[in-house]
Amino acid sequence: MSAPPLPGRRWPFVLRAPGKAILFGEHAVVRGRTALVMALDRGTEVAFEPRRSPGGLYVNGLPWHELGNPYLAEAVRRFPGWGEKDVSLTVRSQLPRASGLGSSAAFTVGLVAGFLLPEGEVARDRLARESYRIERSAQGVGSPVDTSASAAGGVLAVGARSRDDELWALPPEEGSPGFHVSRVNAPPWAWAAAYSGVAKATGLVVRRVGEVFNTSRGEEILEAIDRVAREGERALGREDRQEIGHLLTENHRLLQELGASHPRLESLVEAARPFVEGVKLTGAGGGGSVLALPREGQEALLLKAWARAGGVPYRLSVSPAGAGPRGEALPVGDHPDHVPGL
Ligand code: MEV
């Protein structure tokens, strides 16, 4: 299955870019192992409009440089001239920031798509590559998992191994080992996530996890996570809910061992157990969110149990579409008007 390019167009337009949830393989993917990621039906919108008065690029009513947003700063650095364009951006997101649900990647992909569209048709592999470069420079570390999901939509397998069925490859560069991105079967299941209310701590957790990866047990954990992700791909192919549930729980156990969990995430995992096939933390961890595959008919009970346990619950499904222009405004979400990453 391919990913059709975005047709070029001129302002004004609104770009909608989906968030993401990692099913399997966070942290291990940074070391080239397999991760499975799904694009979400919740996302971020970036509206591009010409400004009537000169003054360069404005975002949510402020000159871009006053925002101090690292993703925006890096995007403007990589697309020279954009800081001086008389364009006004309005950013609205349905994703809580620092929740592990990809708000920064969605913002970056929406921004890059909007920068590129006036030049003509935009190939999705280019969108994914430029967005990944910006995210990696802004964060200092990272894999193309989040930005690829937002650019391509659907469910993806991402890893260092090349495959015959790949959508595209991101060649090695500037400290990135190179990645291959393939499409994976996306069963039409209802998923759910709960935000812990504690901002994820990517830098801290990546350092802590790195220390474990450098021990003799580290290589075993990396291989175990890779195996879980690859079995996960086969189980999605068979649409085997029970096996996916079992693998989610197994992946969570490995992430606990890496030191990526948090007491608030553990209480959300415990609250979910009676109602789910499986549940795990999703994204970098140290805060952020948990992801679950609810048992059929148990979704409402799960969401209630999470709310009682102090989480912010979300019903989720896969967005088959990646980033693209849309005509209508985003329905007022839970997190309007913030610029993700601030
Ligand atoms: C990203 O959401 C989660 C990590 O795997 C980092 C990355 O892949 O860039 C921890």
Side-chain angles (χ1 to χ4, degrees):
M1 242 187 299
S2 68
L6 286 85
R9 61 161 80 183
R10 296 209 58 76
W11 312 303
F13 52 65
V14 180
L15 264 302
R16 179 173 173 74
K20 68 87 191 32
I22 296 180
L23 295 171
F24 305 110
E26 50 273 270
H27 291 291
V29 67
V30 179
R31 305 215 169 192
R33 302 320 196 274
T34 313
L36 299 192
V37 60
M38 66 182 186
L40 300 178
D41 57 342
R42 302 179 74 88
T44 294
E45 284 191 356
V46 189
F48 285 70
E49 288 167 290
R51 270 167 52 76
R52 282 184 227 299
S53 46
L57 182 67
Y58 269 58
V59 181
N60 288 359
L62 285 177
W64 70 273
H65 49 84
E66 285 181 14
L67 283 163
N69 180 295
Y71 302 93
L72 181 62
E74 192 55 34
V76 170
R77 199 176 73 74
R78 290 205 178 244
F79 289 86
W82 258 92
E84 288 78 52
K85 280 196 209 285
D86 294 325
V87 175
S88 164
L89 309 188
T90 308
V91 186
R92 295 163 67 81
S93 185
Q94 297 173 301
L95 303 161
R97 86 187 65 143
S99 63
L101 298 176
S103 71
S104 304
F107 172 57
T108 305
V109 169
L111 201 60
V112 172
F115 283 4
L116 290 173
L117 278 186
E119 292 172 14
E121 186 175 275
V122 181
R124 286 187 190 268
D125 58 339
R126 175 159 184 225
L127 175 60
R129 199 174 316 115
E130 301 280 8
S131 303
Y132 171 45
R133 284 184 184 139
I134 290 167
E135 207 191 35
R136 198 175 71 242
S137 304
Q139 292 178 349
V141 283
S143 80
V145 167
D146 301 12
T147 38
S148 297
S150 190
V155 181
L156 305 176
V158 180
R161 228 180 263 117
S162 75
R163 297 168 47 143
D164 295 339
D165 62 350
E166 67 196 31
L167 264 183
W168 58 66
L170 301 160
E173 56 179 63
E174 290 173 30
S176 162
F179 289 90
H180 299 265
V181 177
S182 307
R183 237 185 233 302
V184 165
N185 185 44
W189 294 342
W191 291 85
Y195 174 45
S196 62
V198 178
K200 74 184 162 82
T202 309
L204 176 84
V205 181
V206 165
R207 263 196 309 281
R208 197 190 290 159
V209 165
E211 280 165 23
V212 182
F213 280 150
N214 290 335
T215 66
S216 55
R217 174 77 182 124
E219 190 61 25
E220 283 169 31
I221 298 179
L222 277 170
E223 291 313 314
I225 294 177
D226 190 61
R227 212 165 35 243
V228 162
R230 295 207 282 155
E231 280 173 20
E233 181 176 346
R234 287 191 286 276
L236 282 178
R238 298 191 304 275
E239 306 203 353
D240 182 342
R241 296 173 58 88
Q242 263 192 341
E243 178 66 2
I244 289 291
H246 162 75
L247 293 167
L248 290 169
T249 300
E250 175 61 11
N251 198 160
H252 182 70
R253 198 188 57 71
L254 293 161
L255 286 162
Q256 278 176 320
E257 212 183 321
L258 286 174
S261 196
H262 182 279
R264 295 281 306 118
L265 296 176
E266 289 306 310
S267 49
L268 293 171
V269 164
E270 284 316 310
R273 284 206 204 280
F275 312 109
V276 299
E277 304 287 358
V279 56
K280 68 182 272 288
L281 75 84
T282 189
S289 301
V290 297
L291 172 74
L293 179 60
R295 294 215 171 97
E296 278 168 315
Q298 307 271 290
E299 225 181 290
L301 292 172
L302 169 63
L303 300 184
K304 267 195 203 136
W306 270 340
R308 267 199 306 274
V312 183
Y314 296 98
R315 283 172 204 274
L316 297 176
S317 57
V318 174
S319 165
R326 62 172 277 175
E328 311 131 46
L330 186 71
V332 176
D334 308 336
H335 306 278
D337 295 333
H338 83 253
V339 180
L342 269 182

